[in-house]
Each structure stands twice: as structure tokens, then as C-alpha cells.
Amino acid sequence: MRATAALYRVFLLLALLVGLDSSAQALAQTDPLPSWNEGPAKKAIVEFVQATTDQASPKYVPPPARIAAFDQDGTLWVSHPMYTQVIYCLERVPAVVAKKPELKNVAPFKTVLSGNREAVAKLSMKDLEVILAATLSGMTVEEFTAEVKQWLATAKHPRWKRPYTDLTYQPMQEVLRYFRDNGYKTYIVTGGGQDFVRVYAEQVYGIPPEQVVGTVGGTKYGYARDGRPVLTKEPKLLLNDDSAGKPEGIHLIIGRRPYAAFGNSTGDRQMLEYTQAGDGARLMMLVLHDDAQREYAYGPAQGLPATRVGAFTQALYDEAKKRGWHVISMKNDWKRIFTFEP
Amino acid sequence: MRATAALYRVFLLLALLVGLDSSAQALAQTDPLPSWNEGPAKKAIVEFVQATTDQASPKYVPPPARIAAFDQDGTLWVSHPMYTQVIYCLERVPAVVAKKPELKNVAPFKTVLSGNREAVAKLSMKDLEVILAATLSGMTVEEFTAEVKQWLATAKHPRWKRPYTDLTYQPMQEVLRYFRDNGYKTYIVTGGGQDFVRVYAEQVYGIPPEQVVGTVGGTKYGYARDGRPVLTKEPKLLLNDDSAGKPEGIHLIIGRRPYAAFGNSTGDRQMLEYTQAGDGARLMMLVLHDDAQREYAYGPAQGLPATRVGAFTQALYDEAKKRGWHVISMKNDWKRIFTFEP
């Protein structure tokens, strides 16, 4: 009787082991990129990850070197009609003016407060820099984080009427997870503000603050009135993490070359070139916004309408073709754009 | 008979499970800090790690937030009689002059080439900056890495006649491993050059390049003659990662506050203050060099001889006592200083 009970337990254990094994197999065989249509883009991603994580492959990359870099605006989330952070800065102007009433009748603050969209759209780069400096510096790091969190909780995208953080691309979320599940450290490398993106990157993309590389200003160490040490954001640019600034930012923060890089605009060109210049297997991909119905369509590559927000020029398209970079067509490669879609 | 065989297998499995369990216990009971004498410093480290990794403790810190920061010079390795990187820069001068012979008769290069130690010791901070700029910028990132590797392979410390990378403190190597074994990300936060320390940090400390925060200059993206993209080191300071620069550098590269910080000099004061200002359990420690026989003795805290290289002032000592920072006595707390010692 005891022996029968023991036998039963062995069978239970065996069943458990077999069960675990087959569910592990099932997991391995599950499509890691279910929102991607079968095609050359999906194939390139899967082949790259398999080759660089297979110890028997000549393209094998040891785990500590597995770095993948992702642009954010237009690559991981929507950046039209305007970059989210620029909207944030414009919408922060009333709060800044409330604290400093002397700015109320001074350009460019006056223009922003007027609510005249045409006038705002015509603001010069210098005007914009003044607004960015006023809304992104002068406060402590903690105050800034609180301001951004508060805004993100209520601000909505004009087209989808949803929080901006809902507007990440489901296929790219799958790529981030797929890379991480295969031992890659995923980094955001963005022209946006490093401190801005760090506020939500962990929650929205599963990317911790130390893996966000962005445009960054200095901070100044000092003490609050109660003696508590604080870091205050200064209007001093340390790195403009766009175009040539992207490989420079990668070197500054990461210190080694990525094996994979994803972008969507001319601002990502140098990051992709730098990635490709390393030895062994490298994956370079560009998202082409060619789906006006489900998202936006802009180029001017491929005859799509031109834009100043994340332009994908014909020259970039030609370079991609020449260098073997993969162009992802949102229209053809992505089954689904957003997580909230049916 | 089959039932008996099954019973036997159950016993085998149980024995295996029990065996695994007791070896896991044995592992847990192994002293993680064998080169430390029993005392308040060792006790503080072990209690901090246990409390912050025990889910039942009110001091529990979730794994992604487990960040520990370590100064390098004088905290992880020897920094006397002079910082290793300064010796590197001085010893690189002949190579720089060989490439630019016009510098041969120009101060301060002429002084360094003279080999007159007294004259070299009297060089002003401005002279030193000229030498640092000439030896740490102007080359590509890859060239710099190769130059540092080559130097490290042959240069020897004047006292121990060993490579500088042999002169790390065994007790601190144990602390680094102990923290990592408990889910902490260990960062170097050094006044030394970020690119310099990154060359050897992975091999010497098990710390990858992306976890080195240091004094850092800009790089410039461009193309070599063959069209290959290169990053060239510029003589433009982005961050002086010393004193107030340490919390600023931590924010720049890591983006969150450490739970533990280790230093040894006045240049680490702000990093420890910043670490302590966070919520919950925090560990702040300072290494006091009070062992002239086995290493060096300098203060001027505790009446030890004053130094300009990693000074531990009486004011810092008093602040440590007042704020509950732990002072590690090399003489009393460390059984062994170096790995190569018997």
C-alpha cells in the first residue's frame, strides 16, 4: 500500500516534469511577434535574434554585449502631429507664467498664451528654445518628475483622445520584449529629453531610467532650505541626442556599440551607421509611416507627404537600401498598431 | 518489484532534494566577506544587504532599484603616491610629443620630458589640464582604448612592482560581489576619466562599461578616410565627476539615487549626502587609510599625515560621525588588503 502510494507520487512527479517540459516547448514555439505580418521585416528580426543568441552560430553575441537601441518618437510611439514633449512644454507655459507673471506679455510666452495655433506653429527655433528652457529647467529633478507625471495623467492626444502613453506601437513593444527575453538590454536613444522620457519609460516600455539616453542638460547640486540635498535642472545643454548626437550619446551613457538599432527618421541615420560599423551581426531598421488610415503617412520618401516632424527623406531611404537596412512598412508589416485596438 | 523500484526512485529524488537544499543552506551560510574582520563595518554591510533583500523587512528594496555606488581611487584600488590615471597621462607625454615634435620644447611638456620629479610635482593645475587634454583627447575612442590597454599591460606601481590593476582591495572586491549576488547593480562613480576606467572595469571589477560614471568629455561623430564612422575624443569637459559633480553624474548616467555609497575622501562627501537623503535604508561608508605598513596612512583626519591625493579631512570625519556614516579602518577592519597577498 505504501509502495503503491509511492508509485503514484512518482507518476505525479513524472507527469509534472513532462508537463513542464511540453509547456516550455510550447512557450518556445509561441510567435514572439504576433502583431507582425509574415514578411522580410519580421524575418530579419527573428533571424537576427536567433543567430546572435545561438552559441553554435558564428554570429553569436555573449550576453553582456547584447545592447539594442531604440529611437522613441515615431519608432516606439506616435510623434504626430507634434512631438509629445513639445506639446508638454507648450502646455506648461501657463503654469510657468503663473509663477513668473512678468513673462505674461513677453514673446514667445505671450504667443503661446494667446492660443493662436497658427502663430504658435510659426514660432522660430529660438522661440522654442526659450520655451523649452523655461519649462524644462529651474526646478529640482523631483519637482520636474512630479510635473511630468501630473501632465501625463490628464493630457490626451487630439486624434485618439487617449493618454499619450497609450500610443505606443504594439509591434514594437513585442520587439522590446523579444529582445529582452533573449538577454538583450534595451535602450531608448531619443532626441527627446532624457529626464522627460525617464519619468514613464519603466512603466510604459519596461525600460529603467539608466537605460534611457536622451537630450540632456546639466544639473546643479545644492541644498534646500531644510538642508536636504537637491539637484536643480540647469538651462545648460550637455548633449543634443539627435543625428550625430545619437552615437555620441550612446558612447556617453552606454559606452559600447549596439548590435541592433531601430529608428524612423533622418535623426537616426548616424545611430544606424554607427551600429552597422561594428563587427559581426548587426540589425538596422527604420519604421516608415505609410499608413494614413491607421496612423499617419509621411516621408518624403516613397512620395509620401513631407513633414518637419520625423522626416524620412528619400536620401535616407536610398541609404537604407544601399546599406541593407530594413525598412518596416507600418501598413504592410504591422497587423495591429496599438494595444488598445481590437 | 516495480513498486519497490519506484519507491527507491522516490527516495533518490527526496535525497537529491534534501541534498540540494542543504547545499543551498551551506552556500547561504558561507561568509560573503572573508577578508573582513568581525566588527561594526562588516556588520553594517551584512545587515544592510540582508534587510534590503528580505521581502519581510520594512527596509526591503525591490531589485530594479538596487543601485550601489563605489568611488574608485582609494576606495577600490590604491591611489597613492598619485592617481593611476595622472601617471598614465604623464607617461603618455613622450608618445604625444613623438607625434607632435613642436611640443618638445614647450611647457609643460618640456618639464615632463625632463624627468625632473621635483619639477613635475610642482606643475600647476593648469599645466596638468594641458597634459590631460593632450593625452586624453584628439584620438578616436578605439585608439584611446588601445593606448590605455597597452599601458596597463606594462606599467607597474613603484612600490609593489605590479600592474596597477593588481592593486585592488580584496575586501572591496568581496563587497562588490556580495552586492551583485544580492541583486544590486554595482556602479563605479569616480573622479577619474569615464573612458579610462571603462577600459578595465569589466575585467578588474566585473563592472560593465555602462555602469561606470566618471569625469567625461564630449566626443565628435565623424568619418575616417575609409568612410567608417568614428567617435573622436574632444577636449571639452561635460562633467567633472568629483564632489558636487558626483550626484550630478549619478543623475546623468543612472537617473536614480543609490541605496549604498562607498568613498574615501572629501570628493565623496556629496555622493554620500545625496545617497542618505533618499527614503528607507541607506548605507554610507568611507575607507580610512590608516595602515602605513600594508598600504598607506593619510588623513588628515585622526591625526594621520595630510595629503593632496584623496584627502580625508577632519571635517569629513566629523560629518561621518554626525550623520551615521561608517568609517572603515583598513588597519582594523581588513584581514587582507590585496588578492595577491598570502
Side-chain angles (χ1 to χ4, degrees):
Chain A
M1 191 61 192
R2 268 182 76 192
T4 312
L7 190 62
Y8 177 67
R9 280 164 67 193
V10 169
F11 281 137
L12 261 183
L13 270 166
L14 283 173
L16 202 71
L17 287 169
V18 170
L20 283 172
D21 190 52
S22 62
S23 68
Q25 276 187 348
L27 198 69
Q29 283 163 9
T30 300
D31 184 353
L33 303 173
S35 299
W36 290 70
N37 288 314
E38 300 305 322
K42 177 173 181 173
K43 190 161 171 271
I45 298 168
V46 173
E47 283 183 357
F48 171 82
V49 169
Q50 287 179 346
T52 56
T53 55
D54 173 6
Q55 290 209 40
S57 162
K59 295 178 177 173
Y60 178 72
V61 176
R66 291 184 198 160
I67 305 281
F70 297 83
D71 168 59
Q72 184 191 222
D73 291 307
T75 299
L76 296 180
W77 76 353
V78 172
S79 65
H80 268 224
M82 182 40 72
Y83 301 115
T84 306
Q85 192 182 352
V86 173
I87 301 171
Y88 168 78
C89 292
L90 293 172
E91 296 190 359
R92 275 296 298 174
V93 166
V96 168
V97 173
K99 273 195 179 175
K100 293 184 185 172
E102 68 273 20
L103 297 176
K104 198 176 169 181
N105 292 309
V106 178
F109 301 100
K110 194 181 166 182
T111 313
V112 176
L113 290 171
S114 75
N116 181 336
R117 287 192 177 208
E118 275 184 38
V120 172
K122 277 183 193 153
L123 287 174
S124 69
M125 191 51 77
K126 208 179 164 186
D127 287 334
L128 217 54
E129 278 171 16
V130 170
I131 292 163
L132 263 58
T135 52
L136 301 176
S137 66
M139 68 293 284
T140 69
V141 164
E142 283 80 12
E143 286 164 354
F144 176 72
T145 300
E147 288 166 9
V148 175
K149 273 190 184 164
Q150 193 186 8
W151 182 80
L152 286 173
T154 55
K156 292 211 161 62
H157 189 281
R159 176 164 163 189
W160 286 277
K161 320 287 184 207
R162 287 178 168 271
Y164 288 93
T165 48
D166 276 8
L167 299 177
T168 67
Y169 306 131
Q170 174 61 21
M172 292 305 296
Q173 291 276 16
E174 292 169 4
V175 171
L176 289 173
R177 262 195 301 273
Y178 182 44
F179 271 81
R180 287 198 291 266
D181 287 347
N182 283 278
Y184 275 87
K185 269 192 183 174
T186 54
Y187 278 83
I188 290 175
V189 180
T190 175
Q194 186 165 284
D195 282 348
F196 185 83
V197 178
R198 278 172 169 176
V199 173
Y200 56 83
E202 191 146 34
Q203 198 193 326
V204 172
Y205 302 114
I207 293 179
E210 64 269 27
Q211 286 168 222
V212 174
V213 182
T215 294
V216 64
T219 58
K220 194 172 170 57
Y221 181 83
Y223 303 90
R225 278 184 200 167
D226 62 2
R228 193 172 39 93
V230 286
L231 289 170
T232 303
K233 287 172 68 65
E234 299 257 279
K236 179 192 158 198
L237 188 69
L238 293 186
L239 174 81
N240 181 5
D241 196 53
D242 190 44
S243 300
K246 289 208 173 190
E248 293 163 10
I250 288 170
H251 180 70
L252 173 65
I253 308 281
I254 314 178
R256 45 181 159 192
R257 198 188 301 262
Y259 275 83
F262 291 75
N264 78 302
S265 79
T266 51
D268 300 309
R269 183 168 71 82
Q270 291 86 344
M271 175 168 75
L272 269 63
E273 289 173 354
Y274 180 67
T275 298
Q276 186 165 32
D279 295 333
R282 305 280 164 167
L283 180 69
M284 287 66 60
M285 303 195 85
L286 290 166
V287 175
L288 180 68
H289 293 256
D290 57 358
D291 193 332
Q293 205 184 337
R294 295 190 299 170
E295 203 244 13
Y296 294 100
Y298 49 90
Q302 300 294 86
L304 296 166
T307 180
R308 291 202 312 174
V309 179
F312 192 140
T313 60
Q314 190 60 42
L316 179 64
Y317 194 89
D318 295 342
E319 186 174 359
K321 290 292 153 191
K322 185 180 142 200
R323 295 185 185 272
W325 301 348
H326 301 270
V327 175
I328 298 164
S329 159
M330 290 183 80
K331 193 172 179 177
N332 301 320
D333 286 314
W334 290 358
K335 270 185 207 165
R336 189 162 75 144
I337 309 285
F338 302 112
T339 313
F340 60 77
E341 288 172 340
Chain B
M1 192 61 192
R2 267 183 79 193
T4 314
L7 190 63
Y8 176 67
R9 282 165 68 194
V10 169
F11 281 137
L12 260 184
L13 271 166
L14 283 172
L16 202 71
L17 287 169
V18 170
L20 283 172
D21 190 50
S22 63
S23 68
Q25 276 188 347
L27 198 69
Q29 284 164 7
T30 300
D31 184 354
L33 304 172
S35 300
W36 289 71
N37 287 314
E38 300 305 322
K42 178 173 180 174
K43 191 161 171 274
I45 298 168
V46 172
E47 283 183 357
F48 171 82
V49 169
Q50 287 179 347
T52 57
T53 56
D54 173 6
Q55 291 208 40
S57 162
K59 295 178 177 173
Y60 177 73
V61 176
R66 291 184 197 159
I67 304 280
F70 297 83
D71 167 59
Q72 184 191 223
D73 291 307
T75 299
L76 295 180
W77 77 352
V78 172
S79 66
H80 269 224
M82 182 39 74
Y83 300 115
T84 305
Q85 192 182 352
V86 173
I87 301 172
Y88 169 79
C89 292
L90 293 172
E91 295 191 358
R92 275 297 299 173
V93 165
V96 168
V97 173
K99 272 195 178 173
K100 294 184 184 172
E102 67 272 22
L103 297 176
K104 198 176 168 181
N105 293 310
V106 178
F109 301 99
K110 193 180 166 183
T111 312
V112 176
L113 290 171
S114 75
N116 181 335
R117 288 192 176 207
E118 275 183 37
V120 171
K122 279 183 192 153
L123 287 174
S124 70
M125 191 51 77
K126 209 180 164 185
D127 287 334
L128 217 54
E129 278 171 16
V130 171
I131 291 164
L132 263 58
T135 52
L136 301 175
S137 67
M139 68 293 284
T140 69
V141 165
E142 283 80 10
E143 285 165 355
F144 177 72
T145 300
E147 288 165 9
V148 174
K149 273 190 183 163
Q150 193 186 8
W151 182 79
L152 286 173
T154 55
K156 291 210 161 65
H157 190 281
R159 176 165 163 189
W160 287 277
K161 319 288 184 205
R162 286 178 169 271
Y164 288 93
T165 48
D166 276 8
L167 299 177
T168 67
Y169 306 132
Q170 173 62 20
M172 292 305 296
Q173 290 276 15
E174 292 169 5
V175 172
L176 289 173
R177 260 194 302 274
Y178 181 45
F179 271 82
R180 287 198 292 265
D181 287 347
N182 283 279
Y184 275 87
K185 270 192 183 175
T186 53
Y187 278 83
I188 289 174
V189 179
T190 175
Q194 186 164 284
D195 283 348
F196 185 83
V197 178
R198 277 172 170 176
V199 174
Y200 56 83
E202 192 146 33
Q203 198 193 327
V204 172
Y205 302 114
I207 293 179
E210 64 269 25
Q211 287 167 222
V212 175
V213 181
T215 294
V216 64
T219 58
K220 194 172 171 59
Y221 180 84
Y223 303 90
R225 281 186 197 166
D226 62 2
R228 192 172 41 91
V230 286
L231 289 170
T232 303
K233 285 171 70 64
E234 300 257 279
K236 178 192 158 198
L237 187 69
L238 293 185
L239 174 81
N240 181 6
D241 196 53
D242 190 44
S243 301
K246 289 208 173 190
E248 294 164 10
I250 287 169
H251 180 69
L252 173 66
I253 307 282
I254 314 178
R256 45 183 160 191
R257 197 188 300 263
Y259 275 83
F262 290 75
N264 77 302
S265 78
T266 51
D268 300 309
R269 182 169 71 83
Q270 290 87 343
M271 175 168 74
L272 268 63
E273 289 173 355
Y274 180 67
T275 298
Q276 186 165 33
D279 295 333
R282 307 278 163 167
L283 179 69
M284 288 66 60
M285 303 194 86
L286 290 166
V287 175
L288 180 68
H289 293 256
D290 58 357
D291 193 333
Q293 203 184 340
R294 294 191 299 169
E295 202 244 13
Y296 294 99
Y298 49 91
Q302 300 293 86
L304 296 167
T307 180
R308 290 201 314 173
V309 178
F312 192 141
T313 59
Q314 190 60 43
L316 179 65
Y317 194 88
D318 294 342
E319 186 175 358
K321 290 292 153 191
K322 185 180 142 200
R323 295 186 186 272
W325 302 348
H326 301 271
V327 175
I328 298 163
S329 159
M330 290 183 81
K331 195 172 178 177
N332 301 319
D333 286 314
W334 290 359
K335 269 185 208 165
R336 188 161 75 144
I337 308 285
F338 302 112
T339 312
F340 60 77
E341 287 171 340

